[in-house]
Each structure stands twice: as structure tokens, then as C-alpha cells.
Amino acid sequence: MGKNLVIVESPSKSKTIEKYLGSDYVVTSSKGHIRDLATTGKGGLGIDIEDNFKPNYVINKDKKDVVKDLKKCVKEADYVYLATDPDREGEAISWHLADELGLDTNLTNRVVFNEVTHDAVVAALNNPRQIDQNLVKSQETRRVLDRIIGFKLSKLLQKKIKSKSAGRVQSVALRLICEREKEIEDFIPEEYWRVKASFEKDDIAFEAELAKYQNKKIELKNAEDTQRVFESLDKQFIVSDVKKTQKKRSSKPPFITSTLQQEASSKLNFKAKRTMMIAQKLYEGIDIGEETVGLITYMRTDSIRLSDAFIGEAKPYIEEKYGKDYVGSVKVSKKTENVQDAHEGIRPTSVMRTPESLKEYLKPEEYKLYALIYARAVASLMAPAKLNSTTLSLDNNGYEFKASGSVIQFDGYLRVYGAYEKQSDEILPVVTVEEKLLSKDIQKSQHFTKPPARYTEAKLIKELEELGIGRPSTYASIIDTIVTRRYVDTVDKAFKPTDSGLLTNEKLVQFFESIINVEYTAQMEKELDEIAEGEDDYVHALTTFEDKFEPLLENAYENMEQIQPEKTGETCPECGGDLVIRKGKYGDFVACSNYPTCKYVKKEPEDIQYTGEDCPKCGSKMIYKKGRFGQFEACSNYPECKYIKNEKKKAEPQVTDEVCPNCGSPVVIKRGRFGEFKACSAYPKCKTIIK
């Protein structure tokens, strides 16, 4: 009797799952994508645009042996289950596997689970479904769309302005960064002043700030106006109002991909790419002693839904550990568009696997991320924190000062999430209306309005998500691309566009404004969602795009000015052409303008540093050089003179009071591979060693 074959994407996940299933199952992995669009055909697109955008897929070079092994496993199996990741990309990979391995795509052999645990995997295998062709087509449309834009736009930019690449979402992200930089450059600071008074009562110190004059908001724009106010104030203030309110502070929902990346960036200082790599490991399975199990649910999601099973486990846990008052309500998503709600939010696979209980099995960064995910998910099911807030109004000759304070009455969800969302008490003393208070000090200070801040990684991800651009799985790669391409530099953990980034954005906006913008890119995401729902189709979406894109591309080829390389003023020693500055993989270099006819590249002379000494052999100047083992000193007349200064000088051996018993020479202390030893100073004539 044959066995059942289960194919997953990750080797580590396959090892975890294999432990859950009996001897009737063999679990193997595709190691990710097995094939992609070819780079042949018209324009190297791997797509026949004229034949309804028919894609031409080829097996990835590094996956040929993997596919060969998978075909052998399929041949030996009675039944094949496709258990790739539970998202559109995973659905597409399952379809590619079925197509390449000769499986019937109408079989109910697609297995989906959001967590790598025994119960989830077994339940999924007991409830297989067909491959969802709508999801496959949605992902295929995205891939073809990105290939068309990426290849065609990149080729244009490389030819015209020497930029490295462009992309459907990447270029919009770059545009956001460039537009923010323009706002910063155009920003004109405005002067404003603040006036604060400090008090102390019942050993409680607090401050109040000027807010109004004669019940109207006051804004101080210069030193003169501020000085007039300052001179009108007395030391004595009268309490004109005391307002006490109780406020509730609710917990946030469980993490989705974007919020996990944002919070890990701000709280743990993890880059998005690093966060996703660590989360992938936590999802695929960790050896925790008695078992290997996935610790979190699938980390590429934009749903905040929690399963009934987890809620049913977590609420009694919260009540038992913290008390009945700490149990809260379930968060419901208000977002209706672009949400793959078959998924859950990112949560621990069991509330009983507390971070502390797993600390010994996790690497430090795994522990930090798991603790953050665990706290967020549990806190989302906890009651709001309750704060008693007090606002004091203090009058001084018609000028109204405000002081605010709050005290946590009930910590609620902060009991679990307080380490990541600190709330400290700001205590105000008890005062009554008409009470007089004497200020210890009144101070005025000058300030200037600040320009909008540059995008940090966390803020850029938040902006992309709110604008409906990209998918959860793409944010890390988008940022990685614009950084790798040197379109942006990181300054104080924020993105600043480089000259190359600014030029690239300028040309894209000039010639492709109607498609490289927030609105159009978000609309494309909607269309991809509609394809996933069966409300639109592959050919229609791509045809609509191509009809809009091609005229723009033709116009750009015709009218975009081609930037010529900067001339150095020198001539090529080989052909007499102009030498120009070109951009290469490792930076700028000087080469002939007649490339590829002439391939001359100028070798830049090394910076020569003289040592101040003369060569003892030929009298030439000695210079510093760099070699495989570091810096050394050598003759500048190389290769005629090959003198190299030997820096190593043998230490003089220490002479003892003893004499050699064999030849009568003094005995000295020498150093050997095993430490110091005594020997005759007449070595090598006398080889006596004194023990």
C-alpha cells in the first residue's frame, strides 16, 4: 500500500508536520516557488501580450533537482496533498506544483491551515478543498502586472537616466518619500512662544501653561507680545475651574502584518525584513522540549479576527490569572476592503505557552518578538484601562493657564501590555475653586514650528497600509528594494531620498503621473481583490492597464531627455574619444565614451603615503602599502626594487646568572610555543636546554 504525500513550502515546516502525522504520510517541501515567468520572448517579458497575456513559466534553475525529487515522490504516492501557505501566493504555488507535477487541478487536495499545530494540521487534512482558481488568477495578474511594469519601466530608466529599476508599488513608495522631502525643503518655520508657571502644593509639583486670554485662545508669535503678557502676570493665581472625568483606554486589536512590522520597529528596533524572518521561524515550528510546534499563526495577514478556539482558551486564562474584571470584549474589524478574512490576526497558537515558559527554547530575538505578539493578542481580549483625569484652570489677570493630570484607577489590558505602552501617573494636588496658589516660577520660552518628519520604516509601512497600497507580504521587500537600489539613504533611522532617487521620481511623475500615484495603485489592488472574488478577470484587468500604460511608455521614449555621462576633460589613450564618468555596481568610474566599441577603463592611481624613510637597498622613498594581511612598508621603486621592511624584531633573550654545563656560555630565558624555557645562549652551536 502506498503512502500519502504532503507538500509544503518550507523544509523546517515539513519536519514539524511529519512528526504530527502517522507512518502513512510522507511530508516534503518545494522550498518555495518552483517556477517563474521566463525572461525570453518579446522584450524578455515571458508573456505573450498579444495572446491574451499568456504567461510562459519555466522551472527555476535552482529548483530543477527539487522538481525531479518531487516527481519521484508523486509517482510513489497514492494521494498528494498540497499544503502551501494560506495566502494568494501560497495558492499560486500549489497550482504551479499541481501543473508541473501532472496532478489534476480539480482534485480536492488543497490543504490550508493558519497554524502549525497537531490539531490544526490534522483538521486541515480531514477537510481538503480544490485549488481556488480565482486566488491563483489574482496572484498571476499581480505577477504579470509587476513584470510588465518592472521590465519596461526599468529598461526605459536605465537607458535614459541610468536608474537601476522601477516598480508598480516600489515607485509609489519612493514618491511618498520624495514628496515628504519636498515638504521639508519648502517648510518655513514659524516662531511661537510658550509661557509656563510652576507650582507646588502638598509636596506635589506641577506645571500649568498659558492657554487663553479672556476666554479666547491665545497665540504668542514674537518676543514683544510675550513680554507684554509676561509683565501682566502676578505670582498669585486663582483656581477658576476643576474638572474631573473618568476615561477609558481600550486595547488595540491583535497584530496584522503591517502593525507587527511597525511595532517591532518602534519597540524592538527590528527592521521589517528581520521581523518577518523571525516570525516565519516562530510560525514554522520551534522545538520546545516535549514537541516541535508552531508558536504563532500565519504572519502574512490583514485580518484581526481571532478563532473561537483561541478566544475560548484565552478568556478563562485571563479570568483565572488576573480576575474577572480583566476580561474584555472581542475586537471587530471596521475595515471591509482588501481583507483576507479567512485568515486570523497574528496570535500565539496557545495562550498556555507563555513567553517565560518558552524562554529557554528561543533565541533572544525570537523571545522578544514572541513576547510582543503574545502580549498584544492576550491584551486585545482584556478590559479597557480606566483613568481618572483632572484638568485645572488657573486665572491670572484674565490669562487662563491649564494643568492636566491623570491617575490609573484600573490597569486593565495594561497589566499585560504595559511594557510596550507605558502609562505613568501624572498627579495633581487637591484644590478647590477660588483657591489661591502662588507660583514658584513663571517662564517664557521661544519655539519654532517643525517640518513634517521623514518617514521611518514603521511610518512608511503604516502609510502604505492606510493608502491601500501593496499587500502584507510585500512591505518588507518594497523597502528593501528602494534601499538596495540606493534611491534612499537612512538618516537618523528615517529615509532621505538620494539624488538618484529624486531624479527617478521626477521622471516617473513627469511621464507616468497617471499610473505611478497613490490612487491608481490602490485601485489596482481593488481590481486584484475583485479577481480573487471572481468579479473581474485576468485578461480584462491587464488589457485595461496595457491600454493606459503603452501610450505613456511610447511618449517617454520619444520625449524623455537622455542624460549624457559627464565628461572629465580627458581623452581615451586607446581611441582618442572623450573619457566620461559612468556609474557601476561599486560606484563611479572613468571610462571611454565610445563603449562598447572601445572598452577602456581608467585605473585610478592609489593615494601614495610616504613613510619618511629611504630604502636601505636602493635609496628610493619608502611608502605604505596595503596587502592581504594589512598595511606594510615597501620601496616605492617596485618592481625594480622589492625591498619590504620587516617590522618584526626579535626580542633580546634575558640573560640569567647561570652558565651552560656543556660549553660554559651564559644561560638565557627564551620563549617557545609552550612558554618560557632556559637554554644556552650559544645556540645553534650548543643546543643545551636547562630543565
Side-chain angles (χ1 to χ4, degrees), residues 500-544:
S500 176
L502 290 168
L503 176 62
T504 301
N505 178 66
E506 178 190 334
K507 295 302 179 184
L508 287 174
V509 171
Q510 183 180 350
F511 290 93
F512 297 92
E513 160 65 26
S514 58
I515 63 169
I516 304 297
N517 65 62
V518 167
E519 293 76 16
Y520 185 79
T521 308
Q523 179 58 37
M524 282 305 306
E525 292 295 344
K526 271 189 177 182
E527 286 189 46
L528 292 170
D529 289 335
E530 288 168 0
I531 294 171
E533 296 295 327
E535 297 171 2
D536 197 352
D537 70 83
Y538 171 85
V539 175
H540 174 262
L542 290 172
T543 301
T544 303

Short mmCIF file of all heavy atoms in Angstrom, two decimals, residues 500-544:
data_model
loop_
_atom_site.label_atom_id
_atom_site.label_comp_id
_atom_site.label_asym_id
_atom_site.label_seq_id
_atom_site.Cartn_x
_atom_site.Cartn_y
_atom_site.Cartn_z
N SER A 500 19.82 60.18 -6.98
CA SER A 500 19.29 59.20 -7.93
C SER A 500 17.80 58.95 -7.70
O SER A 500 17.01 58.86 -8.64
CB SER A 500 20.06 57.88 -7.81
OG SER A 500 19.50 56.89 -8.65
N GLY A 501 17.41 58.88 -6.42
CA GLY A 501 16.00 58.68 -6.08
C GLY A 501 15.15 59.85 -6.50
O GLY A 501 14.04 59.68 -7.03
N LEU A 502 15.65 61.06 -6.26
CA LEU A 502 14.91 62.27 -6.64
C LEU A 502 14.74 62.37 -8.15
O LEU A 502 13.66 62.72 -8.65
CB LEU A 502 15.62 63.51 -6.11
CG LEU A 502 15.59 63.72 -4.59
CD1 LEU A 502 16.58 64.80 -4.17
CD2 LEU A 502 14.18 64.08 -4.12
N LEU A 503 15.81 62.06 -8.89
CA LEU A 503 15.74 62.13 -10.36
C LEU A 503 14.78 61.07 -10.90
O LEU A 503 13.97 61.36 -11.79
CB LEU A 503 17.14 61.92 -10.96
CG LEU A 503 17.21 61.88 -12.49
CD1 LEU A 503 16.74 63.21 -13.08
CD2 LEU A 503 18.63 61.55 -12.94
N THR A 504 14.86 59.86 -10.36
CA THR A 504 13.98 58.78 -10.80
C THR A 504 12.52 59.15 -10.56
O THR A 504 11.67 59.00 -11.44
CB THR A 504 14.32 57.48 -10.04
OG1 THR A 504 15.68 57.13 -10.29
CG2 THR A 504 13.42 56.34 -10.48
N ASN A 505 12.24 59.67 -9.37
CA ASN A 505 10.86 60.06 -9.06
C ASN A 505 10.40 61.20 -9.96
O ASN A 505 9.25 61.21 -10.43
CB ASN A 505 10.77 60.48 -7.59
CG ASN A 505 9.38 60.94 -7.22
OD1 ASN A 505 8.43 60.18 -7.21
ND2 ASN A 505 9.25 62.23 -6.93
N GLU A 506 11.28 62.16 -10.19
CA GLU A 506 10.92 63.32 -11.03
C GLU A 506 10.48 62.87 -12.43
O GLU A 506 9.46 63.33 -12.95
CB GLU A 506 12.12 64.25 -11.14
CG GLU A 506 11.88 65.47 -12.03
CD GLU A 506 13.15 66.25 -12.32
OE1 GLU A 506 14.09 66.19 -11.49
OE2 GLU A 506 13.22 66.91 -13.37
N LYS A 507 11.24 61.95 -13.02
CA LYS A 507 10.92 61.49 -14.37
C LYS A 507 9.67 60.62 -14.40
O LYS A 507 8.86 60.69 -15.34
CB LYS A 507 12.11 60.74 -14.97
CG LYS A 507 13.35 61.61 -15.18
CD LYS A 507 13.05 62.80 -16.09
CE LYS A 507 14.25 63.70 -16.28
NZ LYS A 507 13.94 64.90 -17.09
N LEU A 508 9.50 59.81 -13.38
CA LEU A 508 8.30 58.96 -13.32
C LEU A 508 7.04 59.81 -13.17
O LEU A 508 6.01 59.54 -13.80
CB LEU A 508 8.41 57.97 -12.16
CG LEU A 508 9.40 56.82 -12.37
CD1 LEU A 508 9.52 56.00 -11.09
CD2 LEU A 508 8.96 55.92 -13.52
N VAL A 509 7.13 60.83 -12.33
CA VAL A 509 5.97 61.72 -12.14
C VAL A 509 5.70 62.51 -13.42
O VAL A 509 4.55 62.70 -13.82
CB VAL A 509 6.21 62.68 -10.95
CG1 VAL A 509 5.12 63.75 -10.89
CG2 VAL A 509 6.25 61.90 -9.64
N GLN A 510 6.77 62.95 -14.10
CA GLN A 510 6.62 63.74 -15.31
C GLN A 510 5.95 62.95 -16.45
O GLN A 510 5.09 63.47 -17.15
CB GLN A 510 7.99 64.24 -15.77
CG GLN A 510 7.93 65.14 -17.01
CD GLN A 510 9.32 65.60 -17.44
OE1 GLN A 510 10.31 65.40 -16.74
NE2 GLN A 510 9.41 66.22 -18.62
N PHE A 511 6.33 61.67 -16.58
CA PHE A 511 5.86 60.90 -17.73
C PHE A 511 4.84 59.82 -17.39
O PHE A 511 4.16 59.31 -18.28
CB PHE A 511 7.05 60.27 -18.45
CG PHE A 511 7.92 61.26 -19.18
CD1 PHE A 511 9.03 61.82 -18.56
CD2 PHE A 511 7.61 61.67 -20.47
CE1 PHE A 511 9.83 62.75 -19.21
CE2 PHE A 511 8.40 62.60 -21.13
CZ PHE A 511 9.51 63.15 -20.51
N PHE A 512 4.72 59.45 -16.10
CA PHE A 512 3.81 58.36 -15.74
C PHE A 512 2.92 58.73 -14.55
O PHE A 512 2.53 57.88 -13.76
CB PHE A 512 4.62 57.10 -15.42
CG PHE A 512 5.40 56.57 -16.58
CD1 PHE A 512 6.72 56.97 -16.78
CD2 PHE A 512 4.82 55.70 -17.50
CE1 PHE A 512 7.45 56.50 -17.86
CE2 PHE A 512 5.55 55.23 -18.58
CZ PHE A 512 6.86 55.62 -18.77
N GLU A 513 2.61 60.02 -14.47
CA GLU A 513 1.81 60.53 -13.35
C GLU A 513 0.50 59.76 -13.18
O GLU A 513 0.06 59.51 -12.06
CB GLU A 513 1.54 62.02 -13.57
CG GLU A 513 0.36 62.61 -12.80
CD GLU A 513 0.56 62.60 -11.31
OE1 GLU A 513 1.72 62.61 -10.86
OE2 GLU A 513 -0.46 62.59 -10.60
N SER A 514 -0.13 59.37 -14.28
CA SER A 514 -1.47 58.77 -14.19
C SER A 514 -1.46 57.33 -13.67
O SER A 514 -2.51 56.80 -13.31
CB SER A 514 -2.16 58.80 -15.56
OG SER A 514 -1.39 58.11 -16.53
N ILE A 515 -0.28 56.68 -13.61
CA ILE A 515 -0.26 55.31 -13.07
C ILE A 515 0.67 55.17 -11.86
O ILE A 515 0.44 54.30 -11.02
CB ILE A 515 0.12 54.26 -14.14
CG1 ILE A 515 1.54 54.50 -14.66
CG2 ILE A 515 -0.88 54.22 -15.26
CD1 ILE A 515 2.05 53.37 -15.51
N ILE A 516 1.71 56.02 -11.77
CA ILE A 516 2.59 55.95 -10.60
C ILE A 516 2.09 56.97 -9.59
O ILE A 516 2.67 58.03 -9.38
CB ILE A 516 4.07 56.23 -10.98
CG1 ILE A 516 4.53 55.25 -12.05
CG2 ILE A 516 4.97 56.11 -9.75
CD1 ILE A 516 4.53 53.80 -11.65
N ASN A 517 0.94 56.66 -9.01
CA ASN A 517 0.37 57.52 -7.98
C ASN A 517 -0.42 56.67 -7.00
O ASN A 517 -0.71 55.49 -7.26
CB ASN A 517 -0.52 58.61 -8.60
CG ASN A 517 -1.74 58.05 -9.30
OD1 ASN A 517 -2.58 57.42 -8.69
ND2 ASN A 517 -1.84 58.28 -10.61
N VAL A 518 -0.75 57.25 -5.88
CA VAL A 518 -1.41 56.52 -4.80
C VAL A 518 -2.76 55.98 -5.24
O VAL A 518 -3.08 54.80 -5.03
CB VAL A 518 -1.57 57.44 -3.57
CG1 VAL A 518 -2.52 56.81 -2.55
CG2 VAL A 518 -0.22 57.72 -2.93
N GLU A 519 -3.58 56.82 -5.87
CA GLU A 519 -4.95 56.44 -6.21
C GLU A 519 -4.98 55.28 -7.20
O GLU A 519 -5.72 54.31 -7.01
CB GLU A 519 -5.71 57.64 -6.80
CG GLU A 519 -5.97 58.78 -5.82
CD GLU A 519 -4.74 59.63 -5.55
OE1 GLU A 519 -3.75 59.54 -6.34
OE2 GLU A 519 -4.72 60.35 -4.54
N TYR A 520 -4.18 55.37 -8.26
CA TYR A 520 -4.20 54.31 -9.27
C TYR A 520 -3.67 52.99 -8.70
O TYR A 520 -4.21 51.91 -8.97
CB TYR A 520 -3.38 54.71 -10.49
CG TYR A 520 -3.48 53.70 -11.62
CD1 TYR A 520 -4.60 53.68 -12.45
CD2 TYR A 520 -2.46 52.77 -11.83
CE1 TYR A 520 -4.70 52.75 -13.47
CE2 TYR A 520 -2.57 51.83 -12.85
CZ TYR A 520 -3.69 51.83 -13.67
OH TYR A 520 -3.79 50.89 -14.67
N THR A 521 -2.61 53.08 -7.91
CA THR A 521 -2.03 51.86 -7.33
C THR A 521 -3.02 51.19 -6.38
O THR A 521 -3.15 49.97 -6.36
CB THR A 521 -0.71 52.20 -6.59
OG1 THR A 521 0.13 52.93 -7.48
CG2 THR A 521 0.01 50.94 -6.16
N ALA A 522 -3.72 52.00 -5.57
CA ALA A 522 -4.74 51.44 -4.67
C ALA A 522 -5.89 50.84 -5.47
O ALA A 522 -6.44 49.80 -5.09
CB ALA A 522 -5.25 52.54 -3.73
N GLN A 523 -6.26 51.48 -6.59
CA GLN A 523 -7.32 50.96 -7.45
C GLN A 523 -6.93 49.61 -8.04
O GLN A 523 -7.76 48.70 -8.15
CB GLN A 523 -7.62 51.96 -8.57
CG GLN A 523 -8.70 51.52 -9.56
CD GLN A 523 -10.04 51.22 -8.90
OE1 GLN A 523 -10.43 51.91 -7.95
NE2 GLN A 523 -10.73 50.21 -9.39
N MET A 524 -5.65 49.45 -8.39
CA MET A 524 -5.17 48.17 -8.90
C MET A 524 -5.30 47.08 -7.85
O MET A 524 -5.64 45.93 -8.16
CB MET A 524 -3.72 48.28 -9.37
CG MET A 524 -3.51 48.95 -10.71
SD MET A 524 -4.45 48.18 -12.08
CE MET A 524 -3.95 46.47 -11.94
N GLU A 525 -5.04 47.42 -6.59
CA GLU A 525 -5.20 46.44 -5.50
C GLU A 525 -6.67 46.01 -5.40
O GLU A 525 -6.96 44.84 -5.16
CB GLU A 525 -4.73 47.04 -4.17
CG GLU A 525 -3.24 47.29 -4.08
CD GLU A 525 -2.40 46.02 -4.13
OE1 GLU A 525 -2.95 44.91 -3.93
OE2 GLU A 525 -1.20 46.12 -4.38
N LYS A 526 -7.58 46.96 -5.61
CA LYS A 526 -9.01 46.63 -5.60
C LYS A 526 -9.35 45.66 -6.72
O LYS A 526 -10.10 44.70 -6.53
CB LYS A 526 -9.85 47.90 -5.75
CG LYS A 526 -10.20 48.60 -4.46
CD LYS A 526 -11.22 49.70 -4.74
CE LYS A 526 -11.65 50.38 -3.46
NZ LYS A 526 -12.66 51.42 -3.71
N GLU A 527 -8.80 45.92 -7.90
CA GLU A 527 -9.06 45.05 -9.04
C GLU A 527 -8.54 43.65 -8.78
O GLU A 527 -9.17 42.66 -9.13
CB GLU A 527 -8.43 45.62 -10.31
CG GLU A 527 -9.17 46.84 -10.87
CD GLU A 527 -8.65 47.24 -12.24
OE1 GLU A 527 -8.46 46.34 -13.09
OE2 GLU A 527 -8.42 48.44 -12.46
N LEU A 528 -7.38 43.54 -8.15
CA LEU A 528 -6.82 42.23 -7.82
C LEU A 528 -7.72 41.51 -6.81
O LEU A 528 -7.90 40.29 -6.90
CB LEU A 528 -5.41 42.38 -7.26
CG LEU A 528 -4.36 42.88 -8.26
CD1 LEU A 528 -3.05 43.23 -7.56
CD2 LEU A 528 -4.11 41.85 -9.36
N ASP A 529 -8.28 42.26 -5.87
CA ASP A 529 -9.23 41.67 -4.92
C ASP A 529 -10.50 41.20 -5.63
O ASP A 529 -11.06 40.15 -5.30
CB ASP A 529 -9.60 42.68 -3.84
CG ASP A 529 -8.46 42.94 -2.87
OD1 ASP A 529 -7.60 42.05 -2.73
OD2 ASP A 529 -8.41 44.03 -2.27
N GLU A 530 -10.94 41.97 -6.62
CA GLU A 530 -12.14 41.58 -7.38
C GLU A 530 -11.89 40.31 -8.18
O GLU A 530 -12.79 39.47 -8.32
CB GLU A 530 -12.56 42.73 -8.30
CG GLU A 530 -13.17 43.91 -7.54
CD GLU A 530 -13.32 45.16 -8.38
OE1 GLU A 530 -12.94 45.13 -9.58
OE2 GLU A 530 -13.80 46.18 -7.84
N ILE A 531 -10.68 40.15 -8.71
CA ILE A 531 -10.34 38.91 -9.42
C ILE A 531 -10.37 37.75 -8.44
O ILE A 531 -10.87 36.66 -8.75
CB ILE A 531 -8.96 39.03 -10.09
CG1 ILE A 531 -9.00 40.07 -11.21
CG2 ILE A 531 -8.51 37.68 -10.65
CD1 ILE A 531 -7.64 40.42 -11.78
N ALA A 532 -9.85 37.96 -7.22
CA ALA A 532 -9.85 36.92 -6.19
C ALA A 532 -11.27 36.51 -5.81
O ALA A 532 -11.52 35.36 -5.43
CB ALA A 532 -9.10 37.40 -4.96
N GLU A 533 -12.21 37.46 -5.93
CA GLU A 533 -13.60 37.17 -5.61
C GLU A 533 -14.40 36.69 -6.82
O GLU A 533 -15.60 36.42 -6.72
CB GLU A 533 -14.27 38.43 -5.04
CG GLU A 533 -13.68 38.92 -3.72
CD GLU A 533 -13.89 37.94 -2.59
OE1 GLU A 533 -14.94 37.26 -2.59
OE2 GLU A 533 -13.01 37.85 -1.72
N GLY A 534 -13.74 36.62 -7.98
CA GLY A 534 -14.42 36.18 -9.19
C GLY A 534 -15.25 37.25 -9.86
O GLY A 534 -16.07 36.97 -10.73
N GLU A 535 -15.03 38.53 -9.46
CA GLU A 535 -15.83 39.64 -10.00
C GLU A 535 -15.13 40.36 -11.16
O GLU A 535 -15.68 41.27 -11.75
CB GLU A 535 -16.14 40.63 -8.87
CG GLU A 535 -16.98 40.02 -7.76
CD GLU A 535 -17.10 40.93 -6.55
OE1 GLU A 535 -16.54 42.05 -6.62
OE2 GLU A 535 -17.71 40.52 -5.56
N ASP A 536 -13.91 39.99 -11.45
CA ASP A 536 -13.17 40.55 -12.59
C ASP A 536 -12.31 39.42 -13.12
O ASP A 536 -12.18 38.36 -12.49
CB ASP A 536 -12.31 41.73 -12.13
CG ASP A 536 -11.85 42.62 -13.32
OD1 ASP A 536 -12.07 42.21 -14.47
OD2 ASP A 536 -11.27 43.68 -13.07
N ASP A 537 -11.70 39.63 -14.28
CA ASP A 537 -10.86 38.55 -14.81
C ASP A 537 -9.51 39.06 -15.26
O ASP A 537 -9.31 40.26 -15.51
CB ASP A 537 -11.58 37.80 -15.94
CG ASP A 537 -11.70 38.64 -17.20
OD1 ASP A 537 -10.73 38.68 -17.98
OD2 ASP A 537 -12.76 39.28 -17.39
N TYR A 538 -8.60 38.14 -15.36
CA TYR A 538 -7.18 38.36 -15.68
C TYR A 538 -6.99 39.19 -16.94
O TYR A 538 -6.32 40.23 -16.93
CB TYR A 538 -6.55 36.97 -15.81
CG TYR A 538 -5.15 36.88 -16.33
CD1 TYR A 538 -4.06 37.02 -15.49
CD2 TYR A 538 -4.90 36.57 -17.67
CE1 TYR A 538 -2.76 36.90 -15.96
CE2 TYR A 538 -3.61 36.44 -18.15
CZ TYR A 538 -2.55 36.60 -17.29
OH TYR A 538 -1.27 36.47 -17.76
N VAL A 539 -7.59 38.77 -18.04
CA VAL A 539 -7.38 39.43 -19.33
C VAL A 539 -7.93 40.85 -19.32
O VAL A 539 -7.28 41.79 -19.79
CB VAL A 539 -8.02 38.61 -20.47
CG1 VAL A 539 -7.89 39.36 -21.80
CG2 VAL A 539 -7.36 37.25 -20.58
N HIS A 540 -9.11 41.04 -18.75
CA HIS A 540 -9.72 42.37 -18.72
C HIS A 540 -8.86 43.35 -17.92
O HIS A 540 -8.61 44.48 -18.36
CB HIS A 540 -11.13 42.30 -18.11
CG HIS A 540 -11.76 43.65 -17.91
ND1 HIS A 540 -11.75 44.30 -16.70
CD2 HIS A 540 -12.40 44.47 -18.78
CE1 HIS A 540 -12.35 45.47 -16.82
NE2 HIS A 540 -12.77 45.60 -18.07
N ALA A 541 -8.39 42.91 -16.73
CA ALA A 541 -7.60 43.80 -15.89
C ALA A 541 -6.29 44.19 -16.57
O ALA A 541 -5.89 45.37 -16.55
CB ALA A 541 -7.31 43.12 -14.54
N LEU A 542 -5.62 43.22 -17.19
CA LEU A 542 -4.34 43.51 -17.83
C LEU A 542 -4.51 44.32 -19.11
O LEU A 542 -3.68 45.18 -19.42
CB LEU A 542 -3.60 42.20 -18.12
CG LEU A 542 -3.08 41.47 -16.87
CD1 LEU A 542 -2.54 40.10 -17.25
CD2 LEU A 542 -2.01 42.28 -16.16
N THR A 543 -5.58 44.05 -19.86
CA THR A 543 -5.84 44.82 -21.08
C THR A 543 -6.11 46.28 -20.74
O THR A 543 -5.59 47.20 -21.41
CB THR A 543 -7.04 44.24 -21.85
OG1 THR A 543 -6.75 42.87 -22.17
CG2 THR A 543 -7.29 45.01 -23.13
N THR A 544 -6.90 46.51 -19.71
CA THR A 544 -7.21 47.88 -19.26
C THR A 544 -5.94 48.62 -18.88
O THR A 544 -5.73 49.79 -19.24
CB THR A 544 -8.17 47.85 -18.06
OG1 THR A 544 -9.36 47.14 -18.43
CG2 THR A 544 -8.55 49.26 -17.63
#
